[in-house]
Amino acid sequence: MAETRKILVVDDEKEINETLSEVLTNRGHQMFSAFDGDEAIKIIKENNIDLVLLDMRMPKVDGIEVIKAIKQHSPKTRIMVITGYADTFLQRAKELGVDGFFVKPVRLDAIIKRMRELLEVKRPPSWSWRAKAEEIGGHVIKARILFIEDSKPSLPLVPLDDLIQTGKAQLETRFIYTQEEARENIKEFKPDIVILAMVVPLKKTDELGSGTFDLSDEILELQGKGIVKALIVHSRRDVLEQEHKDKLDQLYEEMKDVPEMQLDDFSPQGRRRHIEKLKARIIETCIENKLFAK
């Protein structure tokens, strides 16, 4: 693991304590040692410990009390139990909530493998709106966003509600479902960002959508004049004809255990992924154009 972590080894057996400390120090971690429960609790209160490797039967204060102290004072700290008394402590440790339980004698590689799983930093995907939201820092996004969408969308597209709830955005949004209305609303609403589907009906009376190439050219011209800050065009492969939808939903229910990236954009997973990517792009665009509250 490249990132240095603070790890506390709590064990009254000196050889085990020193061995674990030496091995993990060599792997780049900052190590702390305690030989009884009292000492362990003191270290936990005074340091931001990432992981505790904990023996259960020790002098003064046993491992159960140490677990309780960790849960009270440092609830984000991970706990791995290493004990020779599984029958005595297993059930209670599980009830209190530990992240690993190993019975002595234990293989060192098994401990390190579980540590890696617990401490590895999970990087959000590059299209995650949550990752993009972190780039906002102390700013608050403020923008008007016009959605020009197909009149029969299958996406449950509620723009950025979850971001708004974090307090990081003040957004005014409007949805339009024909190209004819879009032109009028751009003039009246004066959006900072336009979100445009690649296929949108020309008029309310049209049952089928039409390509939005001409409309996108007009919006790009407005962007060149500074009237619109940005245009985001997204594909609607995920919009299905109703007669195929039930069959596809059944197919993907049968395939629900298949990894997400093996599914195309017609799947429920694909539709959710489409929304996430669109949200991330909106946030990215707001940041690029410095659309922040004053």
Side-chain angles (χ1 to χ4, degrees), residues 216-247:
S216 63
D217 283 344
E218 292 176 29
I219 297 170
L220 286 172
E221 187 176 340
L222 293 174
Q223 185 179 349
K225 295 177 180 178
I227 298 171
V228 173
K229 297 292 190 302
L231 169 66
I232 300 173
V233 178
H234 69 111
S235 108
R236 298 304 300 269
R237 283 187 61 200
D238 46 301
V239 179
L240 306 172
E241 294 295 335
Q242 187 60 44
E243 59 263 29
H244 302 304
K245 185 177 185 301
D246 293 339
K247 294 178 182 178

Side-chain angles (χ1 to χ4, degrees), residues 3 23 34 37 44 63 79 118 153 169 185-186 199 266 272:
E3 187 170 349
V23 168
I44 288 161
I79 306 169
L118 293 174
N185 274 271
I186 290 172
V199 176
F266 290 115
R272 285 193 297 271

Side-chain angles (χ1 to χ4, degrees), residues 129 141 143-149 153 155-166 168-177 189 193-196 232 234 236 274-283 286:
W129 73 265
I141 282 175
R144 292 186 302 275
I145 303 178
L146 177 65
F147 288 81
I148 306 171
E149 298 290 330
L155 280 175
L157 185 62
V158 180
L160 303 173
D161 272 11
D162 30 20
L163 176 63
I164 293 171
Q165 290 166 11
T166 68
K168 287 181 175 290
Q170 299 171 11
L171 301 177
E172 187 178 351
T173 59
R174 184 177 294 189
F175 282 86
I176 299 301
Y177 299 105
F189 184 53
I193 300 172
V194 176
I195 313 296
L196 177 64
I232 300 173
H234 69 111
R236 298 304 300 269
H274 183 98
I275 294 172
E276 287 289 291
K277 289 179 179 178
L278 185 55
K279 287 179 180 179
R281 187 71 187 99
I282 291 169
I283 296 170
C286 287

Side-chain angles (χ1 to χ4, degrees), residues 1-5 116-132 134 261:
M1 290 172 286
E3 187 170 349
T4 298
R5 300 302 188 121
R116 186 179 295 116
E117 293 170 351
L118 293 174
L119 298 179
E120 182 182 33
V121 177
K122 300 293 191 301
R123 303 293 181 188
S126 60
W127 44 262
S128 165
W129 73 265
R130 292 172 179 82
K132 292 298 178 186
E134 289 303 314
M261 40 212 56

Side-chain angles (χ1 to χ4, degrees), residues 45-284:
K45 289 181 178 179
E46 295 176 353
N47 299 274
N48 187 21
I49 300 296
D50 295 297
L51 173 71
V52 176
L53 302 176
L54 179 65
D55 188 18
M56 298 301 287
R57 181 165 288 184
M58 296 176 296
K60 299 181 180 179
V61 175
D62 69 11
I64 294 297
E65 295 305 313
V66 175
I67 294 172
K68 291 179 180 178
I70 294 170
K71 296 294 182 182
Q72 179 182 354
H73 298 288
S74 186
K76 291 185 179 180
T77 297
R78 302 290 201 161
I79 306 169
M80 288 171 52
V81 169
I82 304 173
T83 182
Y85 301 93
D87 293 343
T88 306
F89 293 106
L90 176 59
Q91 187 57 39
R92 186 67 179 127
K94 283 185 174 180
E95 290 171 359
L96 289 171
V98 298
D99 301 289
F101 196 99
F102 295 88
V103 181
K104 295 177 182 178
V106 64
R107 286 171 45 194
L108 188 57
D109 62 340
I111 293 174
I112 292 172
K113 180 177 183 293
R114 181 58 181 151
M115 282 180 52
R116 186 179 295 116
E117 293 170 351
L118 293 174
L119 298 179
E120 182 182 33
V121 177
K122 300 293 191 301
R123 303 293 181 188
S126 60
W127 44 262
S128 165
W129 73 265
R130 292 172 179 82
K132 292 298 178 186
E134 289 303 314
E135 298 178 20
I136 297 170
H139 294 289
V140 175
I141 282 175
K142 186 173 183 179
R144 292 186 302 275
I145 303 178
L146 177 65
F147 288 81
I148 306 171
E149 298 290 330
D150 188 283
S151 60
K152 296 182 287 186
S154 67
L155 280 175
L157 185 62
V158 180
L160 303 173
D161 272 11
D162 30 20
L163 176 63
I164 293 171
Q165 290 166 11
T166 68
K168 287 181 175 290
Q170 299 171 11
L171 301 177
E172 187 178 351
T173 59
R174 184 177 294 189
F175 282 86
I176 299 301
Y177 299 105
T178 70
Q179 296 187 45
E180 185 178 59
E181 292 175 298
R183 291 177 170 88
E184 299 169 5
N185 274 271
I186 290 172
K187 292 179 182 177
E188 185 264 320
F189 184 53
K190 297 180 180 177
D192 297 299
I193 300 172
V194 176
I195 313 296
L196 177 64
M198 293 183 72
V199 176
V200 176
L202 292 171
K203 301 178 181 179
K204 288 182 179 179
T205 54
D206 293 341
E207 293 187 6
L208 298 176
S210 301
T212 56
F213 306 109
D214 291 341
L215 183 57
S216 63
D217 283 344
E218 292 176 29
I219 297 170
L220 286 172
E221 187 176 340
L222 293 174
Q223 185 179 349
K225 295 177 180 178
I227 298 171
V228 173
K229 297 292 190 302
L231 169 66
I232 300 173
V233 178
H234 69 111
S235 108
R236 298 304 300 269
R237 283 187 61 200
D238 46 301
V239 179
L240 306 172
E241 294 295 335
Q242 187 60 44
E243 59 263 29
H244 302 304
K245 185 177 185 301
D246 293 339
K247 294 178 182 178
L248 285 165
D249 283 348
Q250 180 182 349
L251 170 64
Y252 285 106
E253 175 63 26
E254 294 170 0
M255 296 173 64
K256 62 184 178 182
D257 294 327
V258 175
E260 180 174 315
M261 40 212 56
Q262 293 182 23
L263 302 174
D264 64 31
D265 284 342
F266 290 115
S267 70
Q269 294 96 326
R271 294 199 295 272
R272 285 193 297 271
R273 190 165 61 247
H274 183 98
I275 294 172
E276 287 289 291
K277 289 179 179 178
L278 185 55
K279 287 179 180 179
R281 187 71 187 99
I282 291 169
I283 296 170
E284 185 178 54

